[in-house]
Amino acid sequence: MSPHTPVAKRRGDRRAAAGNAGRPPVAWAVPGILFFAVFAIVPLAIAVYLSFCRWDGLGSPTPTGLDNWTRLFQDPEFGQAAWLSLLLTTVSWAFQTPVALLLGVWAAGRQRSRAFLSAVFFVPLLLSTTAIAMLFHALLDPNFGVIKSIGPWLGIDSDVMGSSTGALLVVAFVGGWQFMPFHTLIYQGGARQIPEVLHQAAAIDGAGMVRQFFHITLPQLRHTITTSSVLMIVGSLTYFDTVLIMTKGGPGTDTTILPYLMYRTGFQTYDLGYAAAIATALVVVATSISLIMVRFSGFGAMRSTREGM
Amino acid sequence: MSIDTRPATPRHRPVPAAPRGTRTVRRRRSLGNPVAGLGSLIWLVVVLVPLYTLVSASLMRQDQALNGDPLAVPSDPTSENYETVLDSGFAALLGNTAIVAVATVAIVLVLSVPVAYVAVRTRSRLSSLAFRMFLLGVAIPAQAVIVPLYLMIGKLGLYDTLWAIILPTAAFAMPVAVLVLSGTMRDVSEEMYEAMSLDGASPLRMLWQLAVPLSRAGISTVAIFSALQAWNGFLFPLILTQSQENRVLTLGLFTFMTQFGVNIPAVLAAIVLSVVPIFAVYLVARRALIDGLMGVGGK
């Protein structure tokens, strides 16, 4: 009952004193923290260590100093993979954000038809990434897939997976197809929190739908846009299943994004030290983005919005 | 504030006796935004065409699928593809996946609830440090740690067991769990804790009889989210297991793809079968699932 009262230092007013009695021991959090540390934080530290080693997966890792890192910065494959990751992320963001934003704002209305459509939109989220990648692999099969019948109609070549730009766009599209419902839901939630009065006031002032959208909806959704964008960016930086199943990094190396390069280096050529360096580079990028997120809004904003409710 | 996400009947039922004021407002909203309305119809097609092809082609015989128009309705539907898949050990894959999902959810809940509770109810430096660690943990991609995990899981003697999938999956579901849970637990008012402590309740009783029941929404979000992660996981099973008896659904589907080769209808049937269980969950827990996912993004 007693070893847990750091709060007592908080100016001894009666409220705090009354609250003190029921404060949980900090020790309760220890198992959770340890577990997370053992399987996520410690491996991260080991990854950094391994990035300074040579290791083939069998013997023990041998420290080789900066070898992997100098190699990384000179490796054209790494350069290409980093560039492709960036490209894929940008394309995914540019594709998903407007669509999810519009769908979400639209679905925030309360008609039953919208509720029904939202339920249909939700279905892709129920399929695993593996299942979706395999489904599109079949659909885009030049001999069998629907691409054969609807491709010409849409102006898409039936061997879209054989072209380097096509394959990358397909990966971006498939990711969007899967995660669009999630981001739509985020925007739907955000749009429902906008006080109706704002729109009513604007309507009285004679602002049309378009002006209301740009002057009320968009500014009000800025935190939602940040949250959703960061999740999208970190998400597409770590696409893996889709690439492995649909393109195997190809044609050539034209869809070999960072996670896939890491996998190939580590678990196909068993150059695990170098793979750890690639992984570390990946985590640096993802963490910087997330730090920016915490700083500028994102989950921090999520908390403050909740508190303001 | 109630969020109405009930995907109710498709038909647009007229509501004759609704209060006037609200109706005009809503109607204006629905008539407006024609761009988004049109966009939503286009997206409906984009969502439905692949799903329709998935189901219809899985019912076709291989020659019809290969020669005919894949958008056509199967002329004589067959269950042969489904039988092929079921005969290839599908049930075992499903069983393994269920074990992984249930164990993951259990671990995540048992460990995250106390962490979130301590983070919300104490002001100690340790707990705020831990909270920040979990906040950062959201950004650690599984790919970043897969090489060391391969090493560690091997050393622990867990390589090629279901534990090799469960433990890291649970760890990686924890950051979001802690964030969501502390979000909902923060909403439990201080007055209620005070009232309970005046009654002489122990911290454990307060957690069990106040914080947990009032955070039911957050807890179900976390359960759903971690189950989905376990369900969807591919990298951990791919790297950390090997033998067929420890194969989970995602990995099994992937091997079906090579195993069935050009028998695309069978591959599609396997995909359909893999969706059935989660679709059943969706039909039962639609509301919690949608609200939960909305909560993960931060409303």
Side-chain angles (χ1 to χ4, degrees):
Chain A
M1 291 222 42
S2 54
H4 53 269
T5 41
V7 203
K9 285 170 206 138
R10 220 178 44 175
R11 278 150 276 142
D13 63 81
R14 276 179 77 205
R15 264 191 113 187
N20 264 346
R23 299 284 169 190
V26 175
W28 285 9
V30 171
I33 295 170
L34 275 184
F35 180 78
F36 181 67
V38 166
F39 287 100
I41 305 289
V42 171
L44 200 59
I46 301 180
V48 176
Y49 168 73
L50 284 176
S51 76
F52 296 100
C53 296
R54 190 200 318 279
W55 184 41
D56 62 3
L58 292 173
S60 323
T62 0
T64 52
L66 283 171
D67 277 12
N68 288 325
W69 289 97
T70 37
R71 183 178 153 199
L72 188 83
F73 287 111
Q74 289 160 358
D75 184 356
E77 271 203 316
F78 176 79
Q80 191 203 20
W83 162 246
L84 288 174
S85 289
L86 198 71
L87 199 64
L88 178 68
T89 304
T90 315
V91 171
S92 304
W93 183 85
F95 163 53
Q96 290 185 52
T97 301
V99 180
L101 183 63
L102 282 179
L103 284 180
V105 169
W106 176 83
R110 286 168 201 274
Q111 281 78 6
R112 301 205 148 201
S113 58
R114 297 180 195 217
F116 171 71
L117 283 184
S118 310
V120 176
F121 290 156
F122 188 83
V123 174
L125 265 189
L126 299 174
L127 279 70
S128 60
T129 315
T130 321
I132 290 174
M134 283 167 56
L135 167 62
F136 278 92
H137 187 82
L139 293 178
L140 296 174
D141 187 296
N143 300 313
F144 158 80
V146 261
I147 191 73
K148 207 172 52 177
S149 18
I150 61 172
W153 191 71
L154 292 171
I156 300 173
D157 184 58
S158 66
D159 190 24
V160 64
M161 300 300 291
S163 100
S164 43
T165 328
L168 192 79
L169 290 178
V170 164
V171 172
F173 173 80
V174 171
W177 193 82
Q178 177 177 14
F179 291 113
M180 200 70 81
F182 177 65
H183 294 283
T184 303
L185 278 178
I186 295 183
Y187 283 115
Q188 192 180 340
R192 288 225 172 130
Q193 303 236 317
I194 303 174
E196 188 58 35
V197 227
L198 291 180
H199 287 285
Q200 284 164 352
I204 290 166
D205 289 344
M209 252 15 249
V210 177
R211 284 196 60 168
Q212 286 187 32
F213 179 77
F214 283 104
H215 289 93
I216 297 170
T217 314
L218 267 191
Q220 288 281 321
L221 284 178
R222 62 186 188 281
H223 289 318
T224 319
I225 294 173
T226 320
T227 311
S228 155
S229 301
V230 170
L231 292 174
M232 265 179 210
I233 291 167
V234 175
S236 40
L237 274 176
T238 54
Y239 272 168
F240 171 73
D241 322 15
T242 317
V243 172
L244 176 68
I245 293 166
M246 293 192 73
T247 70
K248 298 240 169 7
T253 52
D254 289 332
T255 54
T256 303
I257 53 171
L258 284 179
Y260 188 74
L261 181 68
M262 190 275 309
Y263 168 75
R264 221 188 54 195
T265 317
F267 298 98
Q268 285 177 348
T269 50
Y270 285 92
D271 194 351
L272 287 147
Y274 190 51
I278 300 173
T280 309
L282 188 69
V283 89
V284 168
V285 178
T287 318
S288 335
I289 292 173
S290 307
L291 278 178
I292 297 171
M293 142 187 111
V294 174
R295 181 135 287 215
F296 285 106
S297 131
F299 286 110
M302 162 171 127
R303 230 184 317 151
S304 57
T305 342
R306 278 170 182 281
E307 274 164 5
M309 268 160 64
Chain B
M1 196 213 66
S2 78
I3 294 172
D4 182 13
T5 29
R6 259 171 307 156
T9 42
R11 240 166 287 124
H12 194 91
R13 248 184 265 139
V15 191
R20 277 263 117 181
T22 48
R23 272 197 90 199
T24 34
V25 171
R26 287 200 184 150
R27 186 185 296 155
R28 178 171 304 180
R29 269 240 225 161
S30 72
L31 284 178
N33 233 335
V35 183
L38 184 68
S40 72
L41 284 181
I42 296 175
W43 194 251
L44 185 70
V45 174
V46 174
V47 171
L48 282 184
V49 167
L51 292 177
Y52 164 77
T53 321
L54 169 65
V55 177
S56 77
S58 76
L59 295 168
M60 289 179 188
R61 284 183 208 289
Q62 210 182 332
D63 54 330
Q64 193 199 349
L66 282 172
N67 303 322
D69 181 356
L71 285 174
V73 180
S75 51
D76 71 306
T78 169
S79 61
E80 162 194 322
N81 303 310
Y82 288 90
E83 283 155 25
T84 311
V85 175
L86 289 172
D87 287 344
S88 315
F90 189 83
L93 296 174
L94 198 62
N96 282 343
T97 308
I99 294 174
V100 169
V102 170
T104 302
V105 171
I107 294 176
V108 169
L109 285 181
V110 166
L111 294 177
S112 308
V113 166
V115 171
Y117 187 62
V118 167
V120 169
R121 293 278 297 146
T122 68
R123 305 266 137 91
S124 92
R125 198 166 292 161
L126 178 71
S127 77
S128 74
L129 199 74
F131 190 75
R132 233 169 286 162
M133 176 180 86
F134 282 109
L135 202 66
L136 261 185
V138 175
I140 303 179
Q143 287 105 337
V145 297
I146 190 67
V147 174
L149 275 178
Y150 177 69
L151 176 73
M152 284 170 57
I153 291 286
K155 292 242 152 105
L156 289 171
L158 295 173
Y159 181 76
D160 199 21
T161 62
L162 289 182
W163 287 111
I165 306 172
I166 295 167
L167 298 174
T169 307
F172 275 79
M174 276 193 73
V176 170
V178 170
L179 284 179
V180 170
L181 285 173
S182 51
T184 34
M185 284 187 177
R186 203 167 277 125
D187 291 344
V188 181
S189 76
E190 190 61 29
E191 283 73 21
M192 291 173 119
Y193 287 114
E194 280 169 22
M196 273 196 94
S197 94
L198 287 179
D199 286 348
S202 68
L204 189 63
R205 240 189 90 195
M206 287 187 186
L207 171 63
W208 196 241
Q209 296 191 337
L210 180 64
V212 167
L214 286 180
S215 325
R216 230 175 301 143
I219 289 176
S220 42
T221 298
V222 166
I224 287 163
F225 187 79
S226 351
L228 277 178
Q229 253 175 262
W231 184 258
N232 200 4
F234 182 74
L235 185 66
F236 292 145
L238 177 72
I239 308 276
L240 303 173
T241 66
Q242 195 175 29
S243 60
Q244 179 155 12
E245 69 195 58
N246 291 316
R247 215 166 264 168
V248 291
L249 207 49
T250 47
L251 207 53
L253 280 182
F254 184 51
T255 45
F256 276 154
M257 203 167 119
T258 27
Q259 196 179 319
F260 296 154
V262 288
N263 191 353
I264 290 177
V267 171
L268 296 178
I271 298 176
V272 173
L273 282 178
S274 80
V275 186
V276 168
I278 198 147
F279 197 72
V281 174
Y282 173 60
L283 290 181
V284 176
R286 205 160 41 187
R287 198 98 195 238
L289 202 63
I290 289 180
D291 288 353
L293 285 168
M294 237 191 244
V296 172
K299 348 190 189 175

